[in-house]
Amino acid sequence: MFSGSDVDAVVEELGYGDAPEPIDLEQGEYLRLVVRDPGSGGYVFSGTVFDPAVLDLVKVYDQKPESGLMGDFGSRNYLFRAVKTGETEVVIKIARPGQEPEEYQRQPVTVE
């Protein structure tokens, strides 16, 4: 459907522990969230929560690490399309095997 660069998107990179600023989008705009893979802590991605009336999750894809350093597991990219006026938060969850998912990143989004 899309490769990583086929769509003109607002790009936000989320690092562990960041407190991101809210993102404002117009209807029809795309948002690509780039989230560091938490694999070095034994975690895996375990879900994404958001209001599907406001955002549509178009694609999820992984990027291999560019650094080649031990412990760099690359990143996961979430491509969203703004579909309706409103506010939502994209909550990305992670979990270790056998444990309950926990919040890893939270990005507030407003669609105007």
Side-chain angles (χ1 to χ4, degrees):
M1 178 166 47
F2 298 110
S3 73
S5 60
D6 284 345
V7 173
D8 184 27
V10 173
V11 177
E12 180 72 14
E13 295 190 26
L14 301 176
Y16 183 71
D18 284 354
E21 294 292 319
I23 292 176
D24 295 323
L25 301 172
E26 299 287 329
Q27 287 184 35
E29 274 191 306
Y30 287 87
L31 168 64
R32 181 165 57 101
L33 296 179
V34 181
V35 183
R36 184 181 64 82
D37 188 315
S40 63
Y43 289 92
V44 295
F45 289 103
S46 67
T48 307
V49 180
F50 59 94
D51 185 347
V54 176
L55 295 175
D56 178 32
L57 181 57
V58 176
K59 183 177 182 178
V60 177
Y61 60 97
D62 294 325
Q63 281 184 292
K64 295 187 186 281
E66 294 180 11
S67 70
L69 297 174
M70 187 176 217
D72 183 356
F73 286 79
S75 61
R76 178 156 290 179
N77 290 252
Y78 297 85
L79 182 63
F80 293 92
R81 184 173 61 86
V83 294
K84 183 180 174 190
T85 301
E87 295 181 5
T88 188
E89 290 187 317
V90 177
V91 179
I92 298 168
K93 295 187 174 195
I94 59 172
R96 286 187 171 136
Q99 294 182 351
E100 290 294 314
E102 60 185 76
E103 183 177 310
Y104 181 53
Q105 297 291 338
R106 178 179 295 264
Q107 175 62 63
V109 178
T110 300
V111 177
E112 298 175 350

